[in-house]
Amino acid sequence: MTDATTPPTAIRPDTTWIDAQIGYLLRRASATMAADYAKHGDALRPVLVSMLSVIDANPGIGQTELGTSLGIQRPNVAPLVADLVGRELVERRRSTTDARRLELHCTPRGIEALARGRSAIEAHEARVTAALSDAERSVLHDLLTRIVER
Amino acid sequence: MTDATTPPTAIRPDTTWIDAQIGYLLRRASATMAADYAKHGDALRPVLVSMLSVIDANPGIGQTELGTSLGIQRPNVAPLVADLVGRELVERRRSTTDARRLELHCTPRGIEALARGRSAIEAHEARVTAALSDAERSVLHDLLTRIVER
DNA sequence: TATTGTTATACTCTATAACTATA
DNA sequence: TATAGTTATAGAGTATAACAATA
């Protein structure tokens, strides 16, 4: 029972249990980051920047390998690559040794877009983790990496 | 240039830059957790367990407050609560002092489902963070909490 | 005017199955 | 048979706008 003039949930609900769950905090932290990225700038979506960065570092990579390296399933890679191709940031070239493969390469415009995307993401990460020291950012990176299955 | 017999991306693509980004790791870690939860057990979805836990700890809470406390927008709360009501885990009671409000309460079945859901989530969290010490889990919790906007 | 809850809607993300063309 | 890429599709998650009832 609570004081009749003070409803039980008037100030702030009790969220003790759920606030202790790592999975829940991961979802909330991801949402915080997505909101920050959407709020600032008009750069490429993070997933497209991540694809550009892997294609740039691995010229000629195939779409299946690209998806595997980023944790994106093959059927979902196709429209994302099509988006990059439509923006003329990436070229698909049919492999001469295996006609099934499409080898991906960044165009000059793609290289430029990647540089801008990286800057946007790095500034965004700095904003969201502004409350953390460099050492804490490093620890967070290590702990998250050890959760991600490989 | 690479040895002609060894394609540049034969073994593992270079993902140096993207692997260093916290936002990317948050997405991968969330995906790892979702896959683990789906793989084991057939318990309630985590979002429904989180709602049950907040309703249980705050009997009479309204849907808007429930959504705010969990970072879920009001239009998205309605079908989730309807799901819980349909399973007879939650009751909606019209407030006697403010006819706009629907006060939420767990049913006895809801209390039982919450206990099972908590067990499922806690076992799931233990599996996913098995590579972390208790101290590391605590640090991860602290760092994630400081990223989530309040 | 503001708030609670609802409906409609749309876009993204993720997942499975099935197809084609090549190997 | 197996693989690379594609298409279709379905389920979640998330976002805005607009409405009815009530304050």
Side-chain angles (χ1 to χ4, degrees):
Chain A
M1 255 336 175
T2 316
D3 178 354
T5 62
T6 310
T9 57
I11 304 303
R12 172 177 284 219
D14 175 0
T15 53
T16 306
W17 180 77
I18 192 65
D19 279 340
Q21 308 309 315
I22 300 288
Y24 171 71
L25 288 173
L26 284 173
R27 177 179 79 77
R28 296 295 301 263
S30 290
T32 296
M33 296 208 72
D36 176 272
Y37 194 81
K39 184 174 162 188
H40 298 78
D42 43 359
L44 280 183
R45 282 184 298 152
V47 64
L48 295 183
V49 177
S50 73
M51 295 180 111
L52 269 184
S53 80
V54 174
I55 296 169
D56 176 63
N58 305 273
I61 192 172
Q63 294 189 186
T64 299
E65 297 160 291
L66 175 63
T68 300
S69 71
L70 291 170
I72 304 172
Q73 294 192 76
R74 279 77 60 173
N76 300 326
V77 170
L80 292 168
V81 168
D83 188 349
L84 291 172
V85 170
R87 296 170 189 262
E88 297 181 13
L89 305 179
V90 164
E91 282 181 4
R92 279 187 274 225
R93 303 182 196 156
R94 186 66 63 180
S95 168
T96 53
T97 56
D98 182 344
R100 295 172 303 183
R101 279 176 59 86
L102 286 173
E103 298 178 338
L104 303 175
H105 297 266
C106 287
T107 65
R109 289 186 60 182
I111 306 281
E112 294 169 13
L114 173 57
R116 287 192 301 273
R118 277 183 167 150
S119 295
I121 287 182
E122 286 166 1
H124 150 71
E125 298 241 338
R127 281 193 303 272
V128 176
T129 63
L132 274 49
S133 69
D134 286 349
E136 287 171 331
R137 263 186 286 266
S138 175
V139 168
L140 177 57
H141 177 274
D142 172 63
L143 295 174
L144 289 175
T145 299
R146 287 163 58 197
I147 284 183
V148 175
E149 63 193 358
R150 288 285 165 178
Chain B
M1 256 337 174
T2 316
D3 178 354
T5 63
T6 310
T9 57
I11 305 304
R12 172 178 283 217
D14 174 0
T15 55
T16 307
W17 179 78
I18 192 66
D19 280 339
Q21 309 309 314
I22 299 288
Y24 171 72
L25 288 173
L26 284 174
R27 177 179 78 77
R28 296 297 300 264
S30 290
T32 296
M33 296 207 72
D36 176 272
Y37 194 81
K39 183 174 163 187
H40 299 78
D42 43 359
L44 281 182
R45 281 184 297 153
V47 64
L48 296 182
V49 178
S50 73
M51 295 180 110
L52 269 183
S53 81
V54 175
I55 295 168
D56 176 62
N58 305 273
I61 191 172
Q63 294 190 186
T64 298
E65 296 160 293
L66 175 62
T68 300
S69 71
L70 291 171
I72 304 173
Q73 295 192 77
R74 279 78 60 172
N76 300 327
V77 171
L80 292 168
V81 169
D83 188 348
L84 291 172
V85 170
R87 296 169 189 262
E88 298 182 14
L89 305 179
V90 164
E91 282 181 3
R92 280 187 273 226
R93 304 181 195 156
R94 186 67 63 181
S95 167
T96 54
T97 57
D98 182 344
R100 295 172 302 183
R101 278 176 60 85
L102 285 173
E103 298 179 338
L104 303 176
H105 297 265
C106 287
T107 65
R109 289 187 60 184
I111 305 281
E112 293 169 13
L114 173 56
R116 287 192 302 273
R118 277 182 168 151
S119 295
I121 286 182
E122 286 166 1
H124 149 72
E125 298 241 338
R127 282 193 303 271
V128 176
T129 63
L132 275 47
S133 69
D134 285 349
E136 287 171 331
R137 263 187 284 266
S138 175
V139 168
L140 178 57
H141 177 273
D142 171 63
L143 295 174
L144 289 175
T145 298
R146 286 163 59 198
I147 284 182
V148 175
E149 62 192 0
R150 289 284 167 179

